[in-house]
Amino acid sequence: MEELVVEVTRTDEKGNPKLQSFNVPKDKVSTVLEALLYIKENIDPSLSFRYSCRMEICGSCGMEIDGKPHMACSTTTESLKGDKIKVAPLKHYNVIRDLAVDIDGFFDKYKAVKPYIIRDDENVKYESELLQTPAQFDEFIDYSLCIKCGLCMAACPIEGSDSDYLGPAPLAAIWRYVADNRDQGAKYRLEIASGPEGTSRCHFVGECTEVCPKGVDPSYAIQKLRGSMVKYEFQSLFRRH
Amino acid sequence: MEKIKEDVLILGGGMAGLRAAIAAAEHNPKLSIGLVSKLYPLRSHSVSAEGGTSAVLNPKDSFDLHAFDTIKGSDYLGDQDAIEEFVRLVPEQIYTTDHWGCPWSRNPDGTISQRDFGALSFPRATFAADKTGFHVMQTLFSRAMKYNIHFYNEYFATKLILNGGQLNSVTTINLRTGDFVVFQGKALIFAMGGAGRLYQFATYAHSVTGDGDGIAYRAGIPLKDMEFIQFHPTGLVPSGILITEAARAEGGYLLNNKKERFMGTYAPHKFETASRDVVSRAIMWEIEAGRGVKGEYGDMEYVYLDMRHIADKLDERLPMITEIAKKFNGIDAHTELVPVHPATHYTMGGIDSNVKTTTSVPGIFVAGENACVSIHGANRLGSNSTNECLALGNVAGVAAAEWAGSHSIPDLDAAQVRDEEKRIWEDMLKRDGGENVAKIREDLRINMDKNVGVFRTADALKNSLKNIAALKERYEKITIQDKASTFNLELEWAFEVGFMLDLAEIITAGALQRTESRGAHYRRDFPDRDDANFMKHTIATYSRDGPVFSYRPVVVTKWQPTVRSY
């Protein structure tokens, strides 16, 4: 039977790292997640990793595969070159155990950008929709596809050296709401985006956009945000006088 | 041992749990709200819901039509009073989530668009492309950031403790640390989803293991109608990933191995958009008649989903399934056929409840797939799950907040808590019979696929009960090889498998006793619906010797059962 070698960068609960290789029969698995589950079910039940939907929509199983951030569930073994797959935890996060990393910091940053519609007519009983033409819809829909997997944070070189930086997904979330015609909270959000942890730290390397499994393009969102910030500052200058 | 107290405690961070959390926070901002999940909320299976959610938004549509579609879909096992109330609660939820930013797909004039779905008499499926569950979940999770909701992520609940029939506490393991943590709330909401991973070929996320049903059942809260398991007609072969019903509602065909449309034989009016139970049986009959495709995906025979003639709709209205076919199967749905087979998709049964979301225990509420109201009866209509999560999640959140406002937290039942702590560390972790948890789970799933699937017979069901009894014996002899306290998923699996074995027994035994065919429950040895004897819900209550069954009549308001055809 043809075998695939899966080399996992493991970390035990005391924080000690080690490399461990497992042989997985090729015809039993078609994705990296299936290979990891095969190992856990048949070879080593102590291997730890997160997973849930296995259809690239829940964002659980981000990890480094052959040196790049990927979702394990949607990375087919066929798409990888050779008979050896290297799997490691995502960079820029603290490892909890094996391939499971601490993502609380990422969600804290997401929360910090006020990722919800802000309106003046809050908490009333809604009896109709807010109108939104298909063209208005198209302005933000691509940025709403983020599955919060955090791959972009692992790919972003700034995140690696500067953990205060809000990072690609949270900044893209700001743009997602600024660009939504139903939202009235742009001034709060643009303040966050223009703050010391905001867009000014981005160097436009574009790694975030490259690794996003959902085509969100945070890099372009950050550019759009910078444009809006200039416009917004210009307008508020006028309002003041 | 760590103890955490909240006014309102919610188990489960999917669509029903998040909706309930927000509702409770809005209803009474002074309450503390804790949401406990074995995942991070966005990892819940709700994100996988695809095609749409039914709501009466158009003046040409009506609540009666939505109610009747649901009742007919349920094969007359749904409670008609509950359904009539439910359909009236939904539109407000659509408009509310719209104001919260949900990207509902639009008409050119800017209003919310709706489309056709299986077994609907009016195109009332409100949708966000084919990522409806995903977008609603992102909307709710993000909205929840506004409130002071305490998220306890990756805490695995092991037991519900009642004392004198009253809510006392919930014991959990903090997966991150391995700590034993006890939660207490004035009110408790179950929103832990269905049980579909009892089966091998399933559209479900791996995490849907029936924990909520299992925990409630063990505590003595009855479960209802568990034998009704929905098989979705179009699970992608070989992974089981859901290919939305919207693919057929938008015009897609099902083809057999001769590339012929076959649904006309089984549903002469609705064809591919008949109800799910009808379409799933049709596919299985085609395969049995030798008209399935034997292809490149192992032993599983399948049929084709043909969307080539609606290729122009795929990118805008069905982008996710188009992407899935490409990423997982290397198939371009614009020009190629997609292999599909019926897959376990929904648990109609659940904790015995009602449209007020209450349970047999005061102060404990339930919403979403975890509940059996019953709205869905013997077969849930496509597009009737996410609306239930929203509408009844909201009801549960308000009800729990009200309850919490006038009740207090009881003294902790320290004796029962200590027993549970012992069970985890001194029983589960120290069992040493050499049996492998994953292997037991796999054997259970193979059994359920084979014996308790689309078609059932007395012989197969009896066989299943025998297999489950043997698996329960093996379960007593497991060895959890992972001894770590941090992120010990093997220990989590062990608890899940315990719940799954209980539920498998209830499903099988309930199916054996129901000697008729109704909705998704099809007995080859009793192929007809038997209204004289079975217009009643199955109630299963825990006992040491296995489930004890009783029955309760279905509530009929104005729609008498008639012949059901599509």
Side-chain angles (χ1 to χ4, degrees):
Chain A
M1 202 187 316
E2 275 194 272
E3 290 193 326
L4 192 69
V5 179
V6 182
E7 184 192 271
V8 187
T9 303
R10 301 194 62 177
T11 306
D12 69 17
E13 55 179 339
K14 293 188 182 70
N16 304 311
K18 69 168 177 188
L19 279 181
Q20 193 174 356
S21 290
F22 302 94
N23 292 346
V24 176
K26 267 191 179 175
D27 63 340
K28 296 267 188 205
V29 301
S30 59
T31 64
V32 173
L33 175 61
E34 286 174 18
L36 293 171
L37 281 168
Y38 181 90
I39 294 166
K40 189 166 176 68
E41 288 174 355
N42 297 284
I43 307 172
D44 186 346
S46 72
L47 184 65
S48 277
F49 50 95
R50 289 198 184 93
Y51 64 98
S52 183
C53 75
R54 62 80 169 90
M55 54 187 279
E56 202 195 64
I57 194 75
C58 82
S60 297
C61 64
M63 55 189 70
E64 201 168 88
I65 299 170
D66 285 352
K68 281 263 179 198
H70 286 287
M71 302 311 287
C73 69
S74 58
T75 304
T76 57
T77 49
E78 216 171 48
S79 70
L80 301 166
K81 293 179 191 75
D83 291 331
K84 185 172 175 179
I85 300 174
K86 290 185 179 183
V87 181
L90 287 176
K91 287 198 175 81
H92 308 161
Y93 297 89
N94 292 323
V95 177
I96 298 170
R97 188 176 169 201
D98 293 340
L99 302 166
V101 297
D102 184 351
I103 52 171
D104 286 344
F106 169 56
F107 278 111
D108 289 344
K109 287 178 179 179
Y110 180 66
K111 184 175 182 175
V113 304
K114 298 186 189 292
Y116 39 81
I117 294 275
I118 296 172
R119 292 185 58 81
D120 305 330
D121 61 351
E122 281 284 319
N123 296 337
V124 296
K125 198 171 155 127
Y126 301 116
E127 283 166 354
S128 67
E129 69 270 64
L130 295 163
L131 293 182
Q132 181 166 68
T133 64
Q136 288 170 323
F137 180 92
D138 288 344
E139 287 291 316
F140 74 92
I141 190 66
D142 287 352
Y143 302 97
S144 75
L145 302 178
C146 171
I147 60 174
K148 317 294 180 291
C149 61
L151 294 192
C152 56
M153 309 293 271
C156 172
I158 316 303
E159 273 289 324
S161 58
D162 179 358
S163 63
D164 288 339
Y165 172 47
L166 280 169
L171 289 170
I174 294 185
W175 179 248
R176 177 254 174 270
Y177 287 97
V178 168
D180 189 328
N181 69 298
R182 296 169 295 184
D183 184 65
Q184 299 167 337
K187 62 181 173 188
Y188 305 107
R189 292 181 223 292
L190 292 176
E191 242 163 62
I192 299 166
S194 60
E197 280 87 43
T199 60
S200 62
R201 299 203 190 186
C202 170
H203 294 183
F204 295 108
V205 181
E207 292 280 344
C208 51
T209 296
E210 200 180 304
V211 300
C212 178
K214 292 296 168 189
V216 172
D217 202 348
S219 182
Y220 192 55
I222 293 169
Q223 280 187 43
K224 292 269 215 183
L225 270 178
R226 283 199 185 168
S228 293
M229 277 150 45
V230 171
K231 213 163 76 187
Y232 181 76
E233 276 162 24
F234 189 72
Q235 284 169 351
S236 56
L237 208 68
F238 267 87
R239 275 200 294 272
R240 250 177 258 143
H241 293 284
Chain B
M1 190 204 343
E2 192 185 343
K3 298 173 195 169
I4 297 174
K5 291 182 181 179
E6 300 280 0
D7 294 322
V8 175
L9 190 61
I10 298 165
L11 296 178
M15 197 179 289
L18 284 172
R19 185 66 192 87
I22 295 168
E26 288 190 339
H27 188 72
N28 185 349
K30 287 186 192 135
L31 296 176
S32 74
I33 292 152
L35 191 149
V36 179
S37 169
K38 69 173 174 178
L39 305 163
Y40 279 74
L42 289 179
R43 311 321 187 200
S44 306
H45 181 54
S46 302
V47 294
S48 297
E50 292 181 357
T53 200
S54 267
V56 177
L57 305 182
N58 190 314
K60 292 180 192 138
D61 195 6
S62 77
F63 290 128
D64 266 7
L65 279 176
H66 186 186
F68 178 66
D69 288 347
T70 304
I71 290 161
K72 183 180 174 188
S74 82
D75 215 348
Y76 296 91
L77 193 73
D79 286 322
Q80 297 183 5
D81 55 342
I83 292 167
E84 287 194 69
E85 187 166 340
F86 159 69
V87 297
R88 285 172 170 77
L89 297 174
V90 179
E92 188 193 344
Q93 295 303 316
I94 304 298
Y95 297 136
T96 301
T97 48
D98 179 62
H99 280 73
W100 292 352
C102 185
W104 296 115
S105 291
R106 299 285 162 167
N107 296 315
D109 67 357
T111 55
I112 288 176
S113 179
Q114 294 186 299
R115 68 175 164 205
D116 196 15
F117 227 66
L120 299 190
S121 58
F122 189 90
R124 72 172 72 84
T126 315
F127 62 106
D130 57 355
K131 298 187 172 188
T132 304
F134 168 79
H135 282 302
V136 173
M137 280 292 287
Q138 298 292 328
T139 303
L140 294 179
F141 177 74
S142 301
R143 177 79 182 181
M145 300 288 101
K146 256 180 84 97
Y147 301 98
N148 187 25
I149 296 165
H150 306 132
F151 286 97
Y152 300 95
N153 300 319
E154 299 187 329
Y155 283 68
F156 186 83
T158 67
K159 187 180 169 75
L160 166 67
I161 293 177
L162 302 180
N163 182 323
Q166 303 294 311
L167 167 64
N168 189 270
S169 50
V170 176
T171 58
T172 69
I173 301 167
N174 178 345
L175 294 172
R176 174 87 67 94
T177 60
D179 292 339
F180 181 68
V181 182
V182 184
F183 287 90
Q184 285 194 285
K186 295 170 180 169
L188 172 68
I189 301 172
F190 271 92
M192 297 172 80
R197 276 279 167 175
L198 281 163
Y199 289 79
Q200 191 91 324
F201 192 67
T203 63
Y204 281 94
H206 286 285
S207 47
V208 190
T209 49
D211 310 351
D213 291 342
I215 289 171
Y217 173 68
R218 279 276 164 162
I221 299 178
L223 304 182
K224 184 163 71 194
D225 292 342
M226 290 300 290
E227 64 268 35
F228 296 99
I229 299 285
Q230 179 166 80
F231 301 91
H232 194 288
T234 56
L236 181 65
V237 179
S239 59
I241 293 174
L242 174 65
I243 300 295
T244 174
E245 187 162 289
R248 285 170 283 127
E250 295 283 2
Y253 300 145
L254 291 171
L255 307 179
N256 60 22
N257 66 359
K258 296 176 183 153
K259 310 268 170 79
E260 292 166 348
R261 278 181 83 182
F262 55 83
M263 275 312 300
T265 314
Y266 306 94
H269 302 291
K270 282 278 190 184
F271 287 75
E272 279 86 353
T273 58
S275 64
R276 289 175 177 172
D277 56 331
V278 170
V279 181
S280 283
R281 278 193 290 276
I283 293 171
M284 296 306 288
W285 275 320
E286 282 296 301
I287 291 171
E288 283 191 351
R291 293 191 288 273
V293 185
K294 288 178 197 146
E296 53 191 301
Y297 303 108
D299 297 335
M300 183 176 274
E301 288 186 42
Y302 51 86
V303 297
Y304 292 120
L305 175 64
D306 183 2
M307 295 181 282
R308 294 172 300 183
H309 56 294
I310 53 164
D312 58 325
K313 289 186 180 179
L314 296 184
D315 295 337
E316 188 208 328
R317 293 170 82 92
L318 300 163
M320 182 157 78
I321 59 156
T322 306
E323 183 188 342
I324 283 168
K326 190 78 203 160
K327 275 193 180 171
F328 291 86
N329 286 45
I331 288 172
D332 180 356
H334 298 87
T335 56
E336 294 174 278
L337 301 172
V338 179
V340 292
H341 184 281
T344 312
H345 182 66
Y346 192 83
T347 316
M348 266 77 74
I351 295 174
D352 180 19
S353 182
N354 51 58
V355 78
K356 304 295 182 204
T357 73
T358 59
T359 69
S360 64
V361 177
I364 299 185
F365 305 86
V366 60
E369 195 175 348
N370 205 166
C372 180
V373 169
S374 164
I375 291 167
H376 312 303
N379 174 67
R380 178 174 69 76
L381 216 59
S383 77
N384 257 355
S385 66
T386 45
N387 52 6
E388 184 190 0
C389 291
L390 289 170
L392 297 196
N394 183 47
V395 169
V398 172
E402 280 286 319
W403 182 273
S406 57
H407 290 80
S408 53
I409 291 178
D411 291 339
L412 188 67
D413 184 336
Q416 284 203 64
V417 169
R418 256 196 315 275
D419 286 349
E420 179 63 2
E421 197 172 8
K422 264 193 195 158
R423 183 174 79 100
I424 297 169
W425 310 121
E426 288 171 33
D427 172 21
M428 292 293 275
L429 264 179
K430 288 189 179 157
R431 284 185 203 181
D432 194 20
E435 286 284 351
N436 179 319
V437 171
K439 188 69 192 140
I440 293 173
R441 186 176 63 189
E442 188 186 350
D443 290 348
L444 174 65
R445 287 173 174 165
I446 291 168
N447 170 66
M448 295 304 283
D449 274 10
K450 186 168 164 231
N451 292 320
V452 202
V454 172
F455 298 129
R456 298 159 177 192
T457 62
D459 285 349
L461 293 169
K462 283 176 190 163
N463 201 10
S464 172
L465 283 177
K466 219 164 58 189
N467 291 340
I468 292 164
L471 288 168
K472 282 193 160 192
E473 275 181 35
R474 283 169 60 190
Y475 182 71
E476 293 303 314
K477 296 180 214 145
I478 54 170
T479 299
I480 296 167
Q481 295 172 59
D482 189 357
K483 303 297 181 195
S485 50
T486 303
F487 230 77
N488 188 336
L489 294 187
E490 199 194 7
L491 177 63
E492 181 186 332
W493 285 4
F495 281 105
E496 290 170 350
V497 171
F499 299 137
M500 290 159 83
L501 287 166
D502 276 353
L503 299 178
E505 186 184 11
I506 300 165
I507 292 166
T508 307
L512 185 61
Q513 297 205 19
R514 189 173 278 276
T515 50
E516 64 156 355
S517 290
R518 185 183 296 270
H521 169 69
Y522 189 88
R523 289 281 300 260
R524 283 188 203 265
D525 40 357
F526 297 93
D528 296 322
R529 198 176 73 197
D530 178 359
D531 290 333
N533 293 301
F534 284 103
M535 276 292 282
K536 59 187 187 184
H537 299 291
T538 310
I539 312 286
T541 310
Y542 174 78
S543 86
R544 275 175 189 278
D545 306 320
V548 175
F549 289 100
S550 57
Y551 292 87
R552 187 189 306 144
V554 173
V555 178
V556 175
T557 55
K558 57 185 175 192
W559 292 279
Q560 290 302 320
T562 58
V563 174
R564 174 176 178 254
S565 64
Y566 286 103

